Amino acid sequence: MKIGLDVMGGDFAPVATIAGALLAQKELSPSDRIVLIGETGIILGELEKHHADPGLFDIVHAHDVIGMGEHPTHAIVRKPESSISIGFKELKHKRIDAFASAGSSGAMLVGAIYSVNNIQGVIRPCTSTVLPQENGGLSLLLDIGTNPDAKPDVMYQFGLLGSIMARNVYKINNPRVALLNIGHEEGKGNLLSQATYQLMKEGKDFNFTGNIESRDLFKSKADVIVCDGFTGNILLKNIEGMFRMMMKRGITDDYFTRFNYENYGGTPVLGINSTVIVGHGISNDVAIKNMLLLARDVYHARLSQKIKRALSRVTVVVRD
Amino acid sequence: MKIGLDVMGGDFAPVATIAGALLAQKELSPSDRIVLIGETGIILGELEKHHADPGLFDIVHAHDVIGMGEHPTHAIVRKPESSISIGFKELKHKRIDAFASAGSSGAMLVGAIYSVNNIQGVIRPCTSTVLPQENGGLSLLLDIGTNPDAKPDVMYQFGLLGSIMARNVYKINNPRVALLNIGHEEGKGNLLSQATYQLMKEGKDFNFTGNIESRDLFKSKADVIVCDGFTGNILLKNIEGMFRMMMKRGITDDYFTRFNYENYGGTPVLGINSTVIVGHGISNDVAIKNMLLLARDVYHARLSQKIKRALSRVTVVVRD
């Protein structure tokens, strides 16, 4: 497969992206190839610093860059020669099989939706994060910010999308899908979570196990945890913030070490017709490596095809 | 002043409540008196175990108890002889000046609203928690669950209520009020936070300083942090959950020790015509002591009067 990397994306690009690409190249199989997308001169200069053979990679030139502060939609439209825009052009024309960037996550989402489109039947694509469980496993939390205002049917689909990802990428059999809520019992919550609970209870498209409270997020009570993007983003950044305070204070602990974002490399955009990975803005070389390996795993899991098939036989469809 | 304590409220009542009352009694001034509300026989029995003089306290008999799992409104109506119902009757008739319980928080809220009522102009009362700041200070987060569905004008009032509490209870001069959001810039967020931002920006009733992200909750960037009750509850329980995992794993750290709920004792119900404190269900004796001392501090801060005065000259009033 061919994995496109936005060399210009991320706070530490291009130094961290090229270093990460070199790390990933060593771990990928000979049939996988990384396509470096960005200013050719910069790419060759960085490879030179590592005394690396440019022939290990394909290079696609892009002379412009979308900044972190730019408005995503405007930037995608106004900068067709940016590394992100070029990456999506390559993806759309199937010259690459996956596209990954630690740059503007907004531009990555807009680009994904406009270039490769939603899978038919997906109301809103979403993004996820991994929550390390105390018992050693991993759970998925979604959405983490793509949909700050979600409707119950959108939330229902998050359950389905997360369930397919947990099964196919993280190899969890019959994943338990829980709804993040402010009480364990049915009937608790805000209007959105109450309505979502009813849909999930009636639906037969995934293994819904009820509400989960945020104090139990790490207790292996669910494999997939569904929430709206506002709540998910608040939760994710709080967890990150607490982890960073612990690191700053010199606290070392086997379990909490697993909260380090570098280990995970980012999130696929779930619900689109291709493989797009959004990395963390502060990605270092290890995070970039893991972003590229995640792109490979998500591609090989054939998520898009599986989501398409699942949606064609979905039991719950509600639109208001 | 007279502080009513629900002796039957909390997971470890009546052992922890009586032990906590004895601890508080030692720290209160001679002009303050604790009124123990509950089954007289049980109260005398517990005091006996401590070889304590029952004359140190007033005792008001209540032979019924509202359980943690009961529906709050039904329980308040059907159990007029419960310690919570009796407590509110005492409060309403001004035989006590404040009422505190670590029992059913739902019943405490319902009781508060129906017995002493909202302050005129308050759309929805709310509850708060304290967030220990890395630099040693404290910030307030509100709402933490009383209003899972809030409207922008309700959120605006939370800013005002929190500001008055921070100034008068925590002695913070001109408290900085921030809106919890998923981005720092104006325009970020869900529909609720976007609309709330505009109201807060236009209003002149408190010192609004803009959005705050959840990774910055402990970085002394704001004294009062406003969110809807759903988000606040999710956040609070996540922080508690992470703190408990740290304790379980034997991590000791000066800063994180301040996350221990025992130190704070609970939250006043903000926006009602009296002083009502809701404690943590798992309160031990130290937490009960701090709940009683908080009742004293909130009463002496004359919060209700100050909120009433502030609302009479409020600059932003929106109802949909």
Side-chain angles (χ1 to χ4, degrees):
Chain A
M1 73 171 290
K2 290 203 173 191
I3 307 169
L5 170 65
D6 171 15
V7 173
M8 314 309 287
D11 298 349
F12 306 121
V15 176
T17 45
I18 293 293
L22 285 163
L23 291 175
Q25 197 273 333
K26 288 183 194 121
E27 294 194 25
L28 291 169
S29 77
S31 62
D32 296 331
R33 200 167 165 84
I34 297 170
V35 180
L36 303 174
I37 302 167
E39 180 80 48
T40 310
I42 290 174
I43 293 171
L44 292 175
E46 285 298 319
L47 287 172
E48 174 71 31
K49 285 189 206 164
H50 292 272
H51 309 292
D53 174 10
L56 291 170
F57 303 96
D58 289 358
I59 296 176
V60 171
H61 181 70
H63 70 256
D64 212 350
V65 180
I66 294 178
M68 296 300 265
E70 294 187 58
H71 187 286
T73 316
H74 293 175
I76 284 280
V77 171
R78 288 179 198 160
K79 291 187 168 176
E81 299 303 318
S82 65
S83 51
I84 287 182
S85 300
I86 296 277
F88 279 114
K89 206 193 292 176
E90 295 298 297
L91 190 66
K92 187 175 176 181
H93 294 295
K94 299 196 196 299
R95 291 190 289 263
I96 56 178
D97 302 298
F99 180 45
S101 173
S104 162
S105 53
M108 285 297 287
L109 286 163
V110 170
I113 292 166
Y114 287 98
S115 67
V116 295
N117 305 320
N118 293 4
I119 292 167
Q120 200 182 350
V122 168
I123 312 166
R124 299 293 303 261
C126 67
T127 44
S128 62
T129 192
V130 152
L131 300 178
Q133 301 294 299
E134 273 186 297
N135 75 348
L138 289 175
S139 297
L140 271 183
L141 175 77
L142 75 174
D143 179 36
I144 56 160
T146 308
N147 304 277
D149 290 286
K151 294 276 170 63
D153 52 357
V154 171
M155 299 272 281
Y156 182 84
Q157 284 197 347
F158 293 166
L160 179 59
L161 297 176
S163 182
I164 293 171
M165 177 160 165
R167 193 161 52 234
N168 293 286
V169 178
Y170 295 105
K171 310 299 178 195
I172 299 168
N173 191 32
N174 195 25
R176 297 161 300 167
V177 179
L179 177 65
L180 183 67
N181 211 332
I182 59 173
H184 186 259
E185 310 87 343
E186 181 174 348
K188 291 278 180 172
N190 57 10
L191 296 172
L192 174 63
S193 64
Q194 287 168 0
T196 303
Y197 188 100
Q198 290 308 316
L199 285 188
M200 289 188 172
K201 192 178 147 191
E202 289 159 18
K204 302 197 189 315
D205 302 301
F206 49 86
N207 176 19
F208 177 56
T209 56
N211 290 324
I212 188 168
E213 288 196 278
S214 55
R215 61 162 67 101
D216 295 330
L217 286 179
F218 309 103
K219 298 199 178 302
S220 307
K221 293 195 173 181
D223 303 303
V224 176
I225 297 154
V226 174
C227 62
D228 66 273
F230 187 86
T231 309
N233 194 272
I234 296 282
L235 200 46
L236 171 63
K237 286 176 182 162
N238 180 55
I239 294 168
E240 277 181 9
M242 289 186 74
F243 170 72
R244 282 193 216 165
M245 287 199 299
M246 289 170 72
M247 293 303 101
K248 200 171 109 184
R249 302 186 68 78
I251 294 170
T252 53
D253 178 88
D254 282 355
Y255 169 62
F256 282 108
T257 300
R258 296 175 55 223
F259 281 65
N260 192 335
Y261 78 95
E262 290 171 19
N263 301 326
Y264 306 106
T267 167
V269 181
L270 284 174
I272 56 165
N273 284 307
S274 192
T275 301
V276 173
I277 309 289
V278 181
H280 211 294
I282 57 163
S283 288
N284 62 8
D285 52 353
V286 176
I288 296 289
K289 179 196 80 170
N290 285 318
M291 177 172 77
L292 292 166
L293 299 181
L294 180 64
R296 175 199 60 189
D297 294 343
V298 170
Y299 174 77
H300 287 301
R302 300 170 54 84
L303 277 192
S304 302
Q305 291 90 326
K306 281 164 185 157
I307 291 168
K308 202 176 295 180
R309 206 175 320 135
L311 281 172
S312 69
R313 55 176 187 237
V314 77
T315 62
V316 171
V317 182
V318 185
R319 278 275 69 180
D320 50 359
Chain B
M1 71 172 292
K2 289 201 173 192
I3 307 169
L5 171 66
D6 171 15
V7 173
M8 313 309 287
D11 298 349
F12 307 120
V15 177
T17 45
I18 294 294
L22 285 163
L23 291 175
Q25 196 274 332
K26 287 183 193 123
E27 295 193 23
L28 291 169
S29 77
S31 61
D32 297 330
R33 201 165 163 87
I34 297 170
V35 180
L36 303 173
I37 303 167
E39 179 80 49
T40 310
I42 289 173
I43 291 170
L44 293 175
E46 285 297 320
L47 288 171
E48 175 71 32
K49 284 188 205 164
H50 291 272
H51 311 292
D53 174 11
L56 291 171
F57 302 96
D58 289 357
I59 296 176
V60 172
H61 181 70
H63 70 257
D64 212 348
V65 179
I66 293 178
M68 295 300 264
E70 294 188 58
H71 187 284
T73 316
H74 295 174
I76 284 278
V77 171
R78 287 178 196 159
K79 290 187 168 175
E81 299 303 317
S82 64
S83 51
I84 287 181
S85 299
I86 298 277
F88 280 113
K89 204 194 294 176
E90 296 297 296
L91 189 66
K92 187 176 176 178
H93 295 294
K94 300 196 194 299
R95 292 191 288 265
I96 56 177
D97 303 297
F99 180 44
S101 172
S104 163
S105 53
M108 285 297 286
L109 284 165
V110 171
I113 292 165
Y114 286 99
S115 68
V116 294
N117 307 320
N118 293 3
I119 293 167
Q120 200 181 350
V122 169
I123 313 167
R124 300 291 303 262
C126 67
T127 45
S128 62
T129 192
V130 153
L131 300 178
Q133 301 294 300
E134 273 186 297
N135 75 348
L138 289 176
S139 297
L140 271 183
L141 175 77
L142 75 173
D143 178 39
I144 56 161
T146 308
N147 305 278
D149 289 286
K151 294 276 171 64
D153 52 356
V154 172
M155 298 273 280
Y156 182 85
Q157 283 198 348
F158 293 166
L160 179 60
L161 297 175
S163 181
I164 293 171
M165 177 160 165
R167 193 161 51 233
N168 293 287
V169 178
Y170 295 105
K171 311 299 179 195
I172 299 168
N173 190 34
N174 194 26
R176 296 160 300 165
V177 178
L179 176 65
L180 183 67
N181 211 332
I182 59 172
H184 186 258
E185 310 86 344
E186 181 173 351
K188 291 277 180 175
N190 57 9
L191 295 172
L192 174 63
S193 64
Q194 287 168 359
T196 303
Y197 188 102
Q198 290 307 318
L199 284 188
M200 290 187 170
K201 192 178 146 188
E202 288 159 20
K204 303 197 187 315
D205 302 302
F206 48 86
N207 176 18
F208 177 56
T209 56
N211 290 323
I212 188 169
E213 289 196 278
S214 55
R215 62 163 66 100
D216 294 330
L217 286 179
F218 309 105
K219 298 198 179 301
S220 307
K221 293 195 172 181
D223 303 303
V224 176
I225 297 155
V226 174
C227 61
D228 65 274
F230 186 87
T231 308
N233 195 271
I234 296 281
L235 201 46
L236 172 62
K237 286 177 182 162
N238 180 56
I239 294 167
E240 276 181 11
M242 289 186 73
F243 170 72
R244 281 192 216 164
M245 288 199 298
M246 289 171 71
M247 294 301 101
K248 202 172 107 185
R249 301 185 68 79
I251 294 170
T252 53
D253 176 271
D254 282 356
Y255 168 62
F256 283 109
T257 301
R258 296 175 55 222
F259 281 66
N260 192 335
Y261 77 95
E262 291 171 19
N263 301 326
Y264 306 105
T267 167
V269 181
L270 284 175
I272 56 166
N273 284 306
S274 191
T275 300
V276 173
I277 309 289
V278 181
H280 210 295
I282 57 165
S283 288
N284 62 7
D285 52 352
V286 175
I288 296 289
K289 178 196 81 171
N290 285 319
M291 176 172 77
L292 293 165
L293 299 181
L294 179 63
R296 175 199 60 188
D297 293 343
V298 170
Y299 174 77
H300 287 300
R302 302 169 54 84
L303 278 192
S304 302
Q305 292 89 326
K306 281 166 186 155
I307 291 168
K308 201 176 295 181
R309 205 174 321 135
L311 281 171
S312 70
R313 55 173 187 239
V314 78
T315 61
V316 172
V317 183
V318 185
R319 275 277 69 182
D320 48 2

